[in-house]
Amino acid sequence: TVPAPQVMSLAFTVTNGGPVADVRVRQALNYGVDKEAIAKNLLAGRGKGATQGVTPTVNGYNSNVKGYPYDPAKARQLLTAAGFPNGLTLAADITVGSFPSDNLIYQAVKADLAKINVTLNYTTITFAQWLPQYLRNTWKGDAFGLSWNSAPRGDASRPYEIFVCKSNPFYCNQAENALVKSAQTELNGAKRLAILQEVAVRVTESAPALYLVEQIDLYVLGQGVRGFSVENR
């Protein structure tokens, strides 16, 4: 097993309105899921709970961003402040069979959210059904399964360029988008890294997704294979 440059998440259809249009709801949902327990129990301790949209192996990762530690009390407080003291019901579309333990991870998310009075009803769809909805942003529910994938660049620019104000966006913040665009034209490596790390701070605070785990890649080697290594998948 090796760390994958991917963060598994449930992305919120913010631009569609509904409860997830309120940042407090999105933050509450992040506090309401025990991501470290999921990584420990369902990825055999080989993955980690995600703190942001990129992983430590990716240029632009910000180690100062601690994300959303498991805090059900904080989650309930935020939901109450957002006008949902008795909880709420959300609908999500997911695909399974793409990541190790992804089906079990979604089940764990559903169970954790139930503890803060959030009912997550998810529908399992195929990737062939997922892709056109993603490209056109025709989601009917409140969330959908999404991989924040930094491959093949190994750079935070890829997921942020795609998931912050893309065409037909499910989430858009113009200030964050301006930062992402400034990184595209900054040629000084240190300055560019600082911009991407600031993007990590701001996008994580905005919580456009329920960040779940830093995913892993699994490789199976036949007996006698020597010299195997993984650089970029």
Side-chain angles (χ1 to χ4, degrees), residues 56-70:
T57 61
V58 172
N59 183 59
Y61 175 83
N62 190 335
S63 60
N64 293 320
V65 174
K66 303 305 179 184
Y68 297 87
Y70 184 48

Side-chain angles (χ1 to χ4, degrees), residues 163-191:
F163 302 147
V164 178
C165 295
K166 73 174 184 67
S167 299
N168 302 313
F170 63 88
Y171 165 79
C172 185
N173 179 297
Q174 291 298 343
E176 294 165 5
N177 190 42
L179 271 179
V180 173
K181 288 185 174 180
S182 69
Q184 294 173 337
T185 56
E186 178 55 65
L187 300 182
N188 180 287
K191 291 181 179 179

Side-chain angles (χ1 to χ4, degrees), residues 24-40:
R24 295 169 296 185
V25 171
R26 304 196 300 271
Q27 291 173 340
L29 297 173
N30 271 279
Y31 280 120
V33 174
D34 192 345
K35 305 162 188 179
E36 289 300 334
I38 288 174
K40 177 182 178 181

Side-chain angles (χ1 to χ4, degrees), residues 11-26:
F12 301 123
T13 53
V14 178
T15 53
N16 287 0
V20 296
D22 191 320
V23 66
R24 295 169 296 185
V25 171
R26 304 196 300 271

Side-chain angles (χ1 to χ4, degrees), residues 7 35-36 48-54 61-62 65-68 200 204 211-212 214:
V7 171
K35 305 162 188 179
E36 289 300 334
K48 294 181 180 179
T51 62
Q52 55 200 277
V54 295
Y61 175 83
N62 190 335
V65 174
K66 303 305 179 184
Y68 297 87
T204 302
Y211 303 110
L212 298 176
E214 296 173 0

